[in-house]
Protein backbone atom coordinates (compact mmCIF):
# COMPACT_ATOMS: atom_id res chain seq x y z
CA UNK A 1 0.00 0.00 0.00
CA UNK A 2 1.24 3.47 -0.84
CA UNK A 3 2.00 5.73 2.11
CA UNK A 4 -0.74 8.20 3.00
CA UNK A 5 0.03 11.55 4.59
CA UNK A 6 -2.64 13.84 5.97
CA UNK A 7 -2.08 17.34 7.31
CA UNK A 8 -4.66 18.17 9.97
CA UNK A 9 -5.73 20.41 12.79
CA UNK A 10 -7.13 19.09 16.03
CA UNK A 11 -10.69 20.43 15.83
CA UNK A 12 -11.31 20.18 12.09
CA UNK A 13 -14.43 18.06 11.40
CA UNK A 14 -13.28 17.41 7.82
CA UNK A 15 -9.98 16.06 9.14
CA UNK A 16 -11.90 13.73 11.45
CA UNK A 17 -14.06 12.49 8.55
CA UNK A 18 -11.06 11.92 6.26
CA UNK A 19 -9.17 10.00 8.96
CA UNK A 20 -12.31 8.00 9.71
CA UNK A 21 -12.67 6.92 6.07
CA UNK A 22 -9.03 5.84 5.93
CA UNK A 23 -9.29 4.00 9.26
CA UNK A 24 -12.51 2.24 8.19
CA UNK A 25 -10.61 0.98 5.13
CA UNK A 26 -7.73 -0.17 7.41
CA UNK A 27 -5.40 2.30 5.72
CA UNK A 28 -2.54 3.45 7.91
CA UNK A 29 -1.53 7.07 7.50
CA UNK A 30 0.93 9.59 8.81
CA UNK A 31 -0.85 12.51 10.42
CA UNK A 32 0.94 15.84 10.53
CA UNK A 33 -0.84 18.32 12.80
CA UNK A 34 -0.32 21.95 11.84
CA UNK A 35 -2.11 23.51 14.85
CA UNK A 36 -0.17 26.54 16.01
CA UNK A 37 2.78 25.80 13.72
CA UNK A 38 2.77 28.61 11.15
CA UNK A 39 5.96 27.51 9.35
CA UNK A 40 4.68 23.92 8.98
CA UNK A 41 1.28 25.14 7.77
CA UNK A 42 3.02 27.44 5.28
CA UNK A 43 5.05 24.46 4.02
CA UNK A 44 1.84 22.44 3.62
CA UNK A 45 0.16 25.32 1.80
CA UNK A 46 3.13 25.67 -0.53
CA UNK A 47 3.06 21.98 -1.40
CA UNK A 48 -0.75 21.75 -1.69
CA UNK A 49 -1.56 25.12 -3.15
CA UNK A 50 -4.21 25.48 -0.44
CA UNK A 51 -4.26 26.58 3.18
CA UNK A 52 -7.29 24.55 4.30
CA UNK A 53 -7.06 21.23 6.10
CA UNK A 54 -7.03 18.38 5.65
CA UNK A 55 -4.55 18.12 2.82
CA UNK A 56 -3.97 14.54 1.77
CA UNK A 57 -1.26 12.80 -0.25
CA UNK A 58 -1.30 9.21 -1.46
CA UNK A 59 2.29 8.39 -2.24
CA UNK A 60 3.61 11.47 -4.04
CA UNK A 61 0.20 12.44 -5.42
CA UNK A 62 -1.71 15.26 -3.76
CA UNK A 63 -5.40 14.32 -3.77
CA UNK A 64 -6.76 17.41 -2.02
CA UNK A 65 -9.00 17.49 1.01
CA UNK A 66 -11.82 15.51 2.57
CA UNK A 67 -14.31 16.12 -0.26
CA UNK A 68 -11.82 14.91 -2.85
CA UNK A 69 -10.98 11.82 -0.78
CA UNK A 70 -14.66 10.90 -0.45
CA UNK A 71 -15.13 11.64 -4.15
CA UNK A 72 -12.43 9.10 -5.00
CA UNK A 73 -14.18 6.59 -2.78
CA UNK A 74 -17.58 7.23 -4.44
CA UNK A 75 -15.98 6.82 -7.87
CA UNK A 76 -14.41 3.56 -6.67
CA UNK A 77 -10.94 4.91 -7.47
CA UNK A 78 -9.51 5.20 -3.97
CA UNK A 79 -8.58 1.54 -3.50
CA UNK A 80 -6.64 1.42 -6.75
CA UNK A 81 -4.83 4.66 -5.91
CA UNK A 82 -3.75 3.16 -2.59
CA UNK A 83 -2.25 0.04 -4.17
CA UNK A 84 1.47 -0.11 -4.87
CA UNK A 85 2.32 -0.37 -8.51
CA UNK A 86 3.89 -3.65 -9.51
Amino acid sequence: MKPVTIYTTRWCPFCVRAKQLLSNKSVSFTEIPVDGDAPLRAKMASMAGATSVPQIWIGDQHVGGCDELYGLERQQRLDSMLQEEA
Side-chain angles (χ1 to χ4, degrees), residues 23-43:
S23 293
N24 288 345
K25 295 179 79 57
S26 298
V27 174
S28 61
F29 54 88
T30 300
E31 181 176 1
I32 302 174
V34 297
D35 306 81
D37 190 333
L40 184 57
R41 191 167 188 143
K43 177 184 173 190

Side-chain angles (χ1 to χ4, degrees), residues 6-19 31-38 40-41 44 51-55:
I6 179 170
Y7 286 77
T8 65
T9 58
R10 191 173 330 158
W11 306 112
C12 164
F14 298 104
C15 299
V16 171
R17 285 189 66 224
K19 293 186 296 183
E31 181 176 1
I32 302 174
V34 297
D35 306 81
D37 190 333
L40 184 57
R41 191 167 188 143
M44 174 206 75
T51 58
S52 60
V53 289
Q55 291 299 323

